[in-house]
Amino acid sequence: PTTAMVAERAGASIGTVYRYFPDRIAVLQSLAARNSERLMSRVAAELVPARHASATDALLAVLGATIELFRTEPGYRSVRVGDVLDLLPPTSEVTAHAAMADVVTDALVAGYGAIDSVEVRLAVGTAVEIADALVARAFARDTRGDAVLLAEAERAVRAVVAGLL
């Protein structure tokens, strides 16, 4: 989107937008940061120890929180966790998905008795990547999310962590 489009959508003048953001890339980066913060807040709420019956159920609740953001959070489908705004040099060696997977794995280990191992970390990281891809695809053309793809995301998450959590 252009900066003029952002201003129009926000119901603000282009001068107001430029007062807070030097260019459209800064707008996208701010949106990505906001969406990341909102997802991590919801993920933290889902990963409270003993909120779910098992580590797998907690991981599936993270998937559910992600799906809910796609449905309810303006702009989340456009710029979400894992999207790369590669117009500027990366600020970290760790990808957004890897950082989220570490947070999720740490919570599953601390609150749900998951074993902290390379295999579990790889499985949770893989589950996060697969879930994000399938959920994004489910919402690409359907604002409620394609039910078949969302079910496949849950099946894939379960399959990837089966026997490990």
Side-chain angles (χ1 to χ4, degrees):
T2 66
T3 307
M5 291 168 66
V6 170
E8 181 181 332
R9 177 71 189 242
S13 72
I14 196 161
T16 300
V17 173
Y18 278 120
R19 182 178 308 144
Y20 297 100
F21 305 101
D23 56 31
R24 67 186 174 88
I25 302 307
V27 172
L28 291 172
Q29 289 172 326
S30 293
L31 180 60
R34 181 199 73 176
N35 288 344
S36 180
E37 289 169 10
R38 290 186 178 170
L39 176 62
M40 293 311 287
S41 174
R42 291 187 185 197
V43 165
E46 289 301 334
L47 294 174
V48 171
R51 179 169 184 178
H52 303 283
S54 69
T56 300
D57 289 343
L59 184 57
L60 291 171
V62 168
L63 171 63
T66 303
I67 292 168
E68 192 58 26
L69 275 175
F70 269 85
R71 287 191 176 128
T72 62
E73 189 65 39
Y76 194 81
R77 283 181 278 155
S78 299
V79 181
R80 65 190 196 284
V81 172
D83 282 344
V84 178
L85 298 175
D86 60 1
L87 300 169
L88 297 172
T91 57
S92 171
E93 295 290 322
V94 178
T95 67
H97 282 134
M100 183 172 149
D102 281 343
V103 167
V104 171
T105 304
D106 290 345
L108 296 177
V109 167
Y112 290 91
I115 303 297
D116 193 353
S117 67
V118 171
E119 293 81 11
V120 167
R121 288 192 176 275
L122 177 61
V124 172
T126 301
V128 166
E129 294 272 359
I130 290 170
D132 181 69
L134 288 171
V135 172
R137 184 74 164 175
F139 282 90
R141 292 191 176 94
D142 184 343
T143 59
R144 295 301 303 155
D146 180 294
V148 171
L149 286 174
L150 295 177
E152 183 62 11
E154 180 178 336
R155 189 200 65 74
V157 167
R158 285 182 186 279
V160 168
V161 299
L164 292 171
L165 294 183

